[in-house]
Amino acid sequence: NAGVTQTPKFRILKIGQSMTLQCTQDMNHNYMYWYRQDPGMGLKLIYYSVGAGITDKGEVPNGYNVSRSTTEDFPLRLELAAPSQTSVYFCASSPPLGTGELFFGEGSRLTVL
Amino acid sequence: DQQVKQNSPSLSVQEGRISILNCDYTNSMFDYFLWYKKYPAEGPTFLISISSIKDKNEDGRFTVFLNKSAKHLSLHIVPSQPGDSAVYFCAGHNAGNMLTFGGGTRLMVKP
């Protein structure tokens, strides 16, 4: 029972580099989300998707891009990494018309130096 | 504009006693409120929720209370156990399956 799987778990980037955080889920959930967690700030929504081929911006989308070509995968791309993107990133999924129960991955800790 | 606020960044209680974690919100459109628990190096996991039309929901040692007039909810853990030590996030859910999270409260239960 894998649930939501994120890779990599840790990554150090130099300013200006790009990378993709991978997220895959095996629960056949329509909804998928990317959050970032900064200390004391809770989780902020970056992007979300309600199904394959459909994505939309969340609260803090600047500097990120997403795609959703399949139900299972929802990668998050960071272009031109900046120190402000140092954070812990969580991918999550949920069934449609739910009551808010999201299933989270274990997180990806990204440091931009 | 912080729609969901947890004003206590940390809370320390003795094992066996009650833990009360508080959360305030401003958005009247939330239809559910949820509590998530997070251990270090893990993702948040769902703990308990409450519909906006209820004022109490209980699940074992965990009870959530909702006071709509005060726009306040609280999570009670009785009795508290060392394994409950974690960061707790409250969140409001609105139509479209979106969650807005508070900043979290770190609970430490001392043996």
Side-chain angles (χ1 to χ4, degrees), chain B residues 3 25-33 52 71 92-95:
Chain B
Q3 296 184 45
Y25 65 95
T26 58
N27 188 343
S28 300
M29 300 304 292
F30 290 138
D31 57 0
Y32 278 87
F33 299 90
S52 61
K71 293 186 177 175
H93 173 271
N94 58 19

Side-chain angles (χ1 to χ4, degrees), chain A residues 2-110:
Chain A
V4 178
T5 303
Q6 292 181 233
T7 57
K9 287 190 167 31
F10 303 94
R11 182 74 186 267
I12 298 175
L13 278 182
K14 293 183 179 177
I15 294 172
Q17 287 186 321
S18 300
M19 75 159 298
T20 300
L21 298 176
Q22 302 291 346
C23 176
T24 186
Q25 53 96 5
D26 62 0
M27 296 173 283
N28 203 32
H29 285 164
N30 293 73
Y31 284 65
M32 294 189 74
Y33 314 81
W34 274 105
Y35 286 90
R36 59 178 285 173
Q37 184 195 7
D38 300 317
M41 298 299 291
L43 291 95
K44 302 286 188 184
L45 182 64
I46 305 171
Y47 270 95
Y48 67 99
S49 169
V50 302
I54 306 169
T55 63
D56 209 344
K57 295 178 181 178
E59 188 179 354
V60 289
N62 291 345
Y64 306 95
N65 273 302
V66 294
S67 60
R68 184 94 183 270
S69 56
T70 67
T71 299
E72 294 79 19
D73 301 305
F74 191 40
L76 177 72
R77 178 129 182 107
L78 281 74
E79 306 280 2
L80 299 175
S84 61
Q85 293 178 303
T86 294
S87 190
V88 182
Y89 292 84
F90 290 100
C91 179
S93 71
S94 75
L97 302 177
T99 56
E101 184 177 351
L102 271 58
F103 297 81
F104 283 86
E106 292 186 338
S108 299
R109 181 176 294 275
L110 176 68

